[in-house]
Amino acid sequence: MGVCGFCNENEKQSYWVSWCEDCANLRRMLVLHNPSKCVSILKRCLIRNEEQITNKIKLELHKNGNDQEDYDKPLTRKQKQDAEIKKI
């Protein structure tokens, strides 16, 4: 039948439609709700912020039994500047 015009992975539902079932459901949700509200929900649920990344690293280090002392030390001025540059 063909590939979905949105995700380019799944097959279309039929010859007469452009999208697969999942993408059609996403489109219905965007039409039903405010698109900016849907985007903010997706960002909140699917994208990690810096604090969440830091917590994940600490958990993984603790889980593996590695020493956390180096990770818990405060950043130097140069490390902070490097982190700011990477954000930009």
Side-chain angles (χ1 to χ4, degrees):
M1 270 187 272
V3 180
C4 173
F6 187 73
C7 69
N8 291 325
E9 290 182 8
N10 301 328
E11 283 203 27
K12 298 189 289 186
Q13 291 176 336
S14 71
Y15 179 79
W16 305 106
V17 295
S18 304
W19 295 353
C20 65
E21 188 174 344
D22 291 337
C23 293
N25 284 332
L26 282 173
R27 183 181 179 281
R28 285 186 206 107
M29 288 179 210
L30 288 170
V31 169
L32 194 63
H33 304 286
N34 186 1
S36 61
K37 182 178 180 181
C38 291
V39 169
S40 69
I41 290 170
L42 289 172
K43 283 182 180 178
R44 188 174 60 235
C45 296
L46 299 177
I47 299 176
R48 293 181 179 261
N49 60 27
E50 291 297 321
E51 183 180 342
Q52 291 170 324
I53 293 169
T54 303
N55 289 337
K56 180 67 174 176
I57 292 170
K58 286 183 179 182
L59 286 172
E60 289 299 318
L61 286 174
H62 183 67
K63 194 186 306 181
N64 294 335
N66 292 339
D67 193 14
Q68 276 187 292
E69 290 178 13
D70 290 337
Y71 191 75
D72 289 335
K73 288 180 184 174
L75 295 175
T76 64
R77 206 177 281 163
K78 178 152 179 36
Q79 290 170 331
K80 287 181 184 177
Q81 289 173 348
D82 291 343
E84 288 298 319
I85 291 171
K86 287 180 183 177
K87 286 183 184 176
I88 298 173

